[in-house]
Amino acid sequence: MVGALLTLVPLLALNSLALLQSSAQPATNQPLSPSVDIIDALLTFILQALLEGAFLIAPLWFAVFKPRRLARQHGLAVPELREGLSALGFRSFRLWQGIGALALGVLVIVVAGNLYALIAQALHITVQTNVDELLARANNAPWTTLAIIIGAVIVAPFCEEIFFRGYFFQGLRLRLSVWLAVVLSAVIFGLTHGDPGSLVLLVVIGLLLAIFRWRTRSLWPGMALHMVNNFLGALIIFQALHF
């Protein structure tokens, strides 16, 4: 819980400040010059990688490095690095189980997304998501938008799965029932994205990812589903990019 709080509290604070700042600043339609856009894209990707990398600190410390340190202090056999990584979920899984989980996950996400859109339309609710914001930015800053997409498809799933499903969910299971741990980890996962318009869908995805981590005992199927989900959103944005 200490590791989770030290990771999540600053992240939630940053997301809250970002939301307040974006709502206070008027939208600009001025396109960036190619050179400025490329520089902004590099800086954006580096910052995004650093923020996502913060998710790795607590899992690696508490699951990998701290046990080795304690073992040395007490004169015990030092566990191998692979043991800590295995505890986080870096372990093999049955291929058929992983393929089935991925197919089921994609189906549930597509159905949930369409159902969410239909309900919002029926209730005449305008839902603004991060995908919509990136679409609005695509024409004015295509390289920066592409950098954000690459980070979201490759970097974010890797780092977030290690923290949320390999570390946080597994830690909750030590004190709570499995299903309560699944729900709580999914809600926290949704909130930390700072995307109110997609919160319901993010919680649904978090539920799937936690269940897959529990049933397969591996991070890989959930990590693959996370990447596929983000890639499906990226496909919409790719169509609006013009370099």
Side-chain angles (χ1 to χ4, degrees), residues 14-220:
L14 286 173
N15 284 338
S16 299
L17 290 174
L19 287 173
L20 291 174
Q21 186 178 14
S22 62
S23 61
Q25 291 181 346
T28 177
N29 293 320
Q30 296 181 353
L32 298 178
S33 65
S35 58
V36 173
D37 190 21
I38 291 174
I39 294 173
D40 192 35
L42 291 174
L43 295 176
T44 298
F45 182 80
I46 292 172
L47 178 60
Q48 188 176 8
L50 290 175
L51 290 174
E52 292 291 345
F55 281 118
L56 303 178
I57 297 174
L60 292 179
W61 170 249
F62 284 104
V64 179
F65 298 113
K66 186 177 180 180
R68 292 168 59 85
R69 179 188 177 192
L70 292 175
R72 291 192 187 97
Q73 289 178 347
H74 293 86
L76 303 174
V78 179
E80 297 182 9
L81 288 175
R82 61 181 178 84
E83 294 183 59
L85 295 176
S86 177
L88 289 173
F90 288 101
R91 59 180 70 183
S92 60
F93 58 94
R94 294 183 178 90
L95 181 60
W96 64 267
Q97 196 176 31
I99 294 175
L102 181 61
L104 176 62
V106 171
L107 177 62
V108 172
I109 289 172
V110 171
V111 171
N114 289 330
L115 183 60
Y116 183 62
L118 288 174
I119 294 175
Q121 184 178 4
L123 297 176
H124 303 288
I125 299 175
T126 301
V127 179
Q128 184 76 13
T129 67
N130 286 343
V131 173
D132 296 321
E133 294 180 6
L134 287 176
L135 280 172
R137 179 187 292 192
N139 289 328
N140 301 327
W143 288 107
T144 302
T145 305
L146 180 62
I148 296 174
I149 291 173
I150 293 174
V153 174
I154 299 175
V155 181
F158 180 79
C159 297
E160 291 176 10
E161 286 310 304
I162 292 174
F163 178 82
F164 283 103
R165 261 62 64 174
Y167 175 72
F168 186 52
F169 168 65
Q170 292 296 101
L172 291 176
R173 287 186 59 192
L174 297 176
R175 297 291 182 181
L176 305 175
S177 66
V178 170
W179 289 109
L180 186 56
V182 166
V183 173
L184 184 57
S185 65
V187 172
I188 298 299
F189 171 72
L191 291 174
T192 54
H193 280 74
D195 185 6
S198 301
L199 179 59
V200 174
L201 294 178
L202 287 167
V203 171
V204 171
I205 295 170
L207 293 172
L208 287 172
L209 295 172
I211 292 172
F212 291 168
R213 170 66 178 92
W214 168 43
R215 300 302 298 174
T216 66
R217 303 180 67 239
S218 174
L219 278 179
W220 297 118

